[in-house]
Amino acid sequence: MAFIRRVRTASGATAVQVAEYTSGRQRIIAHVGSAHTEAELGILLARARDLVEDRDQGQLDLGLEPVQQRTALLGEPAVPPETLFETAPATPSPAGPVSSGRVTGTSSRLLFDSLATVYDSLGFTTALGDDVFRDLVVARLVEPTSLADIGRVLAEMGREPASYSTLRRTLGRAAGAEGGGYRDRIAEACFAHAITSGDVSLCLYDVTTLYFEAEKEDGLRKVGYSKERRVDPQIVVGLLVDRHGFPLEIGCFEGNKAEKHTIVPIIRQFQARHRLESFVIVADAGMLSAENLTALDDADLRFIVGFRVTKAPIDLESHFRWHGETFADGQVIDTVTPKRGANVDNNSAVRAEPVWDPDTHQGSWRAVWAYSTKRYVRDNRTLNAQEAKARAVIAGEKADRAPRFVKNGKAGKTLDEAALARARRLAGLKGYVTNLPADMMTASEVIGSYHDLWHVEQSFRMSKTDLAARPMFARTRDAIEAHLTLVFTALAVARTAQDRTSESIRAIVRRLRVLRSATIAINGAQQTFAPHIPADEQALLAALRG
């Protein structure tokens, strides 16, 4: 008959084996495993009991509650260290029946550890030394929620959450200027990472708005221009990233502040923080103003800014005179544009376009114009829709206060044929204004650098959707700044995780969250066991570790 035996191994572990007597001698049938903890021993004994148990043999029901014995390890030392006198070894309990294991809890500890590893690799742990703030960042990445509910998210990842008051104090430190301020130290760590992994010779800038679930305005939260046509109080947030979308600087402004008035303060703050002399700033047409470009140029900064197509007739006057209104797909025209007023540096009587020189053309910037057939088709489709809308308004079929291409005169509303013709003439054109000379950056490189702006737009989308940066419920300036600091840090971790794995942070969380560790109570002890990790997820974890 088979029985269970326990043997102490040379390493001090307790081996569990299934044996039987044959001809008066013990014969090992199966080696179940070696245990180093009482919980492991209980699991091995339960597994061994399943091997020994005869499933066909019934049990006599006497109405007695079975008593489950606790089985001790044989590998425990008989004489504990640091004792003065030797004591008699404790007699191990017999290898009696052990109760079935019970799962007392599960957690996505693997997910937390993976994201915390990315957080550490960016230097944030060294810069801040605040584990509670790290927990807040990881929780924001996994499931953005309120501060009151964040303990649940952390508990599901096997973390012992800090108290609500501790979480609030941590956010207070993130907003304040104590120790240089969390925002400053995080920005410095981000800059160091960007320098190490690439360069910051070219940075991308854009703005967005974050609205509040509030009815009244205050000094910061104000109703302003919203692309979504919202009338809630909002703030304007400016974000500076490197050419790959990794965040470098963030700042917030009053909700009614114009976009073009945000770029210079953010750039100066970034330049002063890191003592940079010169780099290239890329921004869209919303940042375009004569004051902005002059201020950036005076600070010895290079810029590439999207240009309004309404400037094309002035800049391309020579082209229209000598080549007409036709363009070839992919055609690029490198010329100049006046800083203010008329273009005196581009003589339309001369066939060749002038090559911009900062010393020669002090009243102009360099302008690069590109034509695309694909853009022409898209622009023309938009113009057709706008024309149809204008005609519907003129005919009284549709009500609209100020549609494009409708002009009001003595005869009432009429179609602005001249404006429509000018717009069709310029369809397919896209302009870029810069203070980079042609010998420093070619026209194609100027266009390519501008097209990298989708990286900062993607970062904004990540912050709004994956990190749930809005709507905001904070009321005070400090609370708003703390929220932005948290989102800024989480965005840095998310972008790094995405770059390492080529997967979105949402996909990473979805794949790793289901790999749950289990805590099992057996043999009077508890132990946590890691989950089985499929090969694809092992590759994902290896990529996250960098």
Side-chain angles (χ1 to χ4, degrees):
M1 179 178 178
F3 62 94
I4 301 171
R5 66 193 296 258
R6 293 178 298 156
V7 180
R8 181 174 182 175
T9 65
S11 64
T14 299
V16 177
Q17 301 170 341
V18 176
E20 66 176 359
Y21 278 103
T22 303
S23 301
R25 301 182 63 182
Q26 289 186 13
R27 184 174 71 87
I28 306 300
I29 299 175
H31 177 78
V32 182
S34 299
H36 296 82
T37 67
E38 291 185 346
E40 290 178 352
L41 178 60
I43 293 173
L44 294 179
L45 290 173
R47 191 179 302 164
R49 189 173 67 246
D50 289 339
L51 295 175
V52 172
E53 190 176 54
D54 185 356
R55 300 293 181 184
D56 297 328
Q57 181 178 349
Q59 291 184 346
L60 183 61
D61 186 4
L62 300 178
L64 299 176
E65 188 72 24
V67 177
Q68 303 294 349
Q69 293 179 316
R70 176 172 178 173
T71 303
L73 289 166
L74 294 178
E76 295 177 343
V79 182
E82 308 299 335
T83 57
L84 185 59
F85 300 102
E86 183 175 320
T87 58
T91 302
S93 59
V98 176
S99 61
S100 299
R102 291 181 298 105
V103 177
T104 61
T106 63
S107 65
S108 302
R109 180 74 197 192
L110 186 65
L111 172 60
F112 179 90
D113 291 342
S114 301
L115 295 178
T117 298
V118 179
Y119 178 95
D120 294 342
S121 70
L122 294 174
F124 295 151
T125 299
T126 303
L128 302 179
D130 190 335
D131 290 345
V132 177
F133 184 78
R134 178 205 58 199
D135 291 356
L136 287 170
V137 171
V138 174
R140 169 68 52 176
L141 290 164
V142 173
E143 184 181 336
T145 185
S146 66
L147 197 64
D149 191 41
I150 212 163
R152 173 188 58 81
V153 179
L154 291 172
E156 287 184 0
M157 291 187 289
R159 291 290 299 171
E160 182 69 30
S163 66
Y164 180 76
S165 58
T166 300
L167 295 177
R168 286 185 61 88
R169 286 195 298 270
T170 301
L171 286 180
R173 292 194 297 272
E178 177 184 346
Y182 277 20
R183 177 88 61 82
D184 295 339
R185 285 182 273 172
I186 290 168
E188 289 169 1
C190 286
F191 181 78
H193 173 78
I195 287 291
T196 303
S197 61
D199 67 83
V200 293
S201 61
L202 186 144
C203 298
L204 316 173
Y205 179 79
D206 203 357
V207 300
T208 191
T209 55
L210 300 180
Y211 68 89
F212 292 79
E213 293 291 348
E215 297 180 358
K216 297 181 179 180
E217 297 178 289
D218 55 30
L220 178 63
R221 302 178 298 171
K222 294 183 178 294
V223 176
Y225 171 74
S226 171
K227 295 178 181 178
E228 300 168 348
R229 302 180 184 275
R230 302 189 68 95
V231 293
D232 306 287
Q234 64 181 24
I235 61 172
V236 176
V237 177
L239 180 65
L240 186 72
V241 304
D242 69 6
R243 67 174 69 223
H244 304 297
F246 185 77
L248 298 172
E249 196 80 29
I250 194 171
C252 70
F253 305 87
E254 296 81 3
N256 59 357
K257 198 175 191 69
E259 292 182 0
K260 64 183 181 181
H261 294 154
T262 66
I263 183 171
V264 173
I266 292 289
I267 298 304
R268 284 176 174 167
Q269 176 179 300
F270 177 73
Q271 190 178 22
R273 184 195 306 281
H274 306 296
R275 296 175 293 279
L276 297 175
E277 294 184 0
S278 181
F279 55 96
V280 180
I281 304 298
V282 182
D284 67 13
M287 307 301 122
L288 182 63
S289 74
E291 292 77 16
N292 280 352
L293 301 187
T294 301
L296 293 175
D297 190 65
D298 290 344
D300 196 28
L301 294 172
R302 305 295 184 178
F303 59 80
I304 301 172
V305 181
F307 217 16
R308 298 184 181 91
V309 73
T310 54
K311 296 283 289 185
I314 299 175
D315 299 349
L316 301 179
E317 185 178 359
S318 295
H319 176 86
F320 288 135
R321 176 176 179 177
W322 294 98
H323 304 284
E325 298 181 4
T326 59
F327 297 88
D329 186 30
Q331 183 174 354
V332 175
I333 302 171
D334 201 339
T335 183
V336 298
T337 185
K339 294 181 179 179
R340 283 186 172 87
N343 193 339
V344 298
D345 292 329
N346 191 353
N347 186 357
S348 61
V350 179
R351 187 185 186 95
E353 297 289 345
V355 178
W356 182 77
D357 180 85
D359 298 324
T360 305
H361 306 110
Q362 296 184 6
S364 300
W365 301 118
R366 181 185 177 194
V368 176
W369 289 91
Y371 179 86
S372 165
T373 302
K374 183 177 180 180
R375 186 184 299 112
Y376 172 83
V377 173
R378 184 175 64 250
D379 291 348
N380 206 40
R381 185 167 55 246
T382 301
L383 290 172
N384 289 338
Q386 291 173 336
E387 180 184 0
K389 182 178 180 180
R391 292 187 182 276
V393 170
I394 294 170
E397 300 171 1
K398 189 172 184 179
D400 198 302
R401 288 184 298 177
R404 192 180 181 188
F405 304 130
V406 173
K407 62 180 180 179
N408 294 310
K410 294 181 180 180
K413 294 180 178 179
T414 58
L415 184 67
D416 193 340
E417 300 278 3
L420 180 60
R422 284 195 303 270
R424 292 195 183 279
R425 181 190 187 197
L426 304 177
L429 287 170
K430 174 67 178 178
Y432 314 87
V433 60
T434 180
N435 62 347
L436 286 159
D439 58 356
M440 183 177 294
M441 183 176 286
T442 66
S444 298
E445 290 173 333
V446 169
I447 297 171
S449 298
Y450 182 85
H451 287 174
D452 283 338
L453 271 177
W454 71 270
H455 287 296
V456 67
E457 294 168 356
Q458 183 187 55
S459 292
F460 269 134
R461 286 195 299 272
M462 290 172 62
S463 65
K464 290 179 179 179
T465 55
D466 299 332
L467 305 180
R470 65 177 191 181
M472 295 180 67
F473 300 91
R475 297 188 305 274
T476 65
R477 176 99 191 204
D478 283 350
I480 293 170
E481 293 286 2
H483 178 78
L484 289 180
T485 301
L486 185 62
V487 170
F488 179 74
T489 312
L491 179 60
V493 177
R495 292 292 321 202
T496 304
Q498 177 176 296
D499 292 343
R500 292 179 180 178
T501 63
S502 300
E503 294 207 25
S504 68
I505 187 64
R506 185 177 297 179
I508 294 171
V509 170
R510 184 174 62 249
R511 290 179 58 182
L512 297 184
R513 199 171 190 177
V514 297
L515 303 179
R516 302 181 71 86
S517 303
T519 300
I520 298 176
I522 189 170
N523 196 31
Q526 285 192 349
Q527 183 149 337
T528 300
F529 295 88
H532 168 69
I533 306 176
D536 289 345
E537 277 61 41
Q538 289 182 17
L540 179 66
L541 292 171
L544 283 173
R545 289 192 291 269

